[in-house]
Amino acid sequence: MLEYSKVALDFMNRDHAEFVSLCEKLIATLNDAPNPRAIDPLLDQLAEHTRHHFAEEERQMQAAQFPPFRMHKGEHDRVLSALAEHIERWRQDRDAAQLCDVIESTLNGWFVNHVNSMDFVTANFIKQAKG
Ligand SMILES: [Fe+2]
């Protein structure tokens, strides 16, 4: 169970819960029946969800003229391309243990840090800007 901060905007909390539940589903499937037919669609779903979730945060940051927008978006872009690389590697190697490790350590570690720092500050700023 991942521990991360609740932020000031509900749409972000909903996206974060969805991200965590997709990661949990992936880990359970990787432990249970790590076959590509089950894993590939879940990875596509995770990539799609993450793209959407980041794009919505970015749209709202821009609307609120959040000053460190570039920095926050830079981190999103970096994570999206790392995720695409991890998915590509899985498609080539089909290494379930490696993918499990990437999700549990790299991706989830990044997620908790990101939510607790950048998303937390960003949500407060957008909420205040909206009044
Ligand atoms: Fe973010």
Side-chain angles (χ1 to χ4, degrees):
M1 195 61 186
L2 279 187
E3 303 261 337
Y4 59 94
S5 302
K6 190 171 185 286
V7 302
L9 296 171
D10 287 340
F11 89 90
M12 284 169 80
N13 290 321
R14 276 195 298 272
D15 277 342
H16 294 158
E18 166 99 26
F19 180 89
V20 169
S21 109
L22 282 168
C23 286
E24 282 172 353
K25 219 184 282 181
L26 266 163
I27 297 292
T29 312
L30 280 163
N31 285 326
D32 233 40
N35 80 67
R37 257 184 315 207
I39 301 295
D40 289 1
L42 286 173
L43 281 174
D44 288 343
Q45 227 180 310
L46 180 67
E48 175 72 12
H49 162 82
T50 307
R51 259 196 306 275
H52 262 97
H53 146 206
F54 287 175
E56 183 56 19
E57 276 182 22
E58 288 160 15
R59 199 182 64 72
Q60 298 224 15
M61 277 192 264
Q62 279 193 300
Q65 300 185 312
F66 181 57
F69 169 76
R70 285 271 134 224
M71 190 175 76
H72 194 152
K73 180 172 174 21
E75 191 159 317
H76 286 171
D77 291 347
R78 186 181 63 72
V79 168
L80 283 178
S81 66
L83 182 60
E85 278 172 34
H86 293 310
I87 292 175
E88 194 46 46
R89 195 177 328 148
W90 156 255
R91 294 221 155 102
Q92 280 172 18
D93 301 346
R94 300 303 191 189
D95 183 339
Q98 185 188 52
L99 182 58
C100 230
D101 186 57
V102 159
I103 295 167
E104 282 184 318
S105 319
T106 314
L107 202 56
N108 285 349
W110 169 81
F111 173 80
V112 170
N113 274 332
H114 183 79
V115 172
N116 290 351
S117 57
M118 280 195 202
D119 285 348
F120 190 84
V121 170
T122 301
N124 281 341
F125 183 93
I126 293 172
K127 186 154 190 177
Q128 296 227 322
K130 282 181 168 170

